[in-house]
């Protein structure tokens, strides 16, 4: 599983995203970015910022 914490990019945001693939995370983050942060367009810069902070997580 992969996990992204929005707070790593937007200080104070507590949203966390855990999905099988990076693509699913980016989709969910795009929706969240618009709803919660008023970011209408996820730019390539923003995508690299996000993907740089996606972590691999394992559940026992
Ligand atoms: Zn957020």
């Amino acid at each position: 599983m992969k996990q992204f914490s929005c707070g790593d990019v937007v200080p104070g945001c507590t949203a966390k995203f855990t999905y099988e693939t990076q693509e699913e995370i980016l989709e969910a983050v795009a929706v969240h970015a618009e709803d919660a942060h008023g970011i209408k367009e996820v730019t390539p810069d923003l995508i690299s910022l996000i993907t740089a902070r996606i972590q691999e997580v394992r559940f026992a």
Side-chain angles (χ1 to χ4, degrees):
M1 299 289 277
K2 296 180 185 304
Q3 189 173 66
F4 169 70
S5 300
C6 190
D8 287 348
V9 176
V10 182
C13 186
T14 55
K16 279 192 200 302
F17 305 88
T18 308
Y19 290 95
E20 284 294 335
T21 66
Q22 178 172 301
E23 287 70 27
E24 289 172 296
I25 288 185
L26 288 173
E27 269 179 42
V29 169
V31 172
H32 167 79
E34 180 164 7
D35 283 358
H37 303 301
I39 298 168
K40 292 212 185 326
E41 193 191 352
V42 180
T43 61
D45 276 0
L46 196 50
I47 288 173
S48 32
L49 209 64
I50 293 163
T51 55
R53 286 166 178 77
I54 290 176
Q55 295 180 3
E56 195 70 43
V57 287
R58 285 167 207 277
F59 297 103

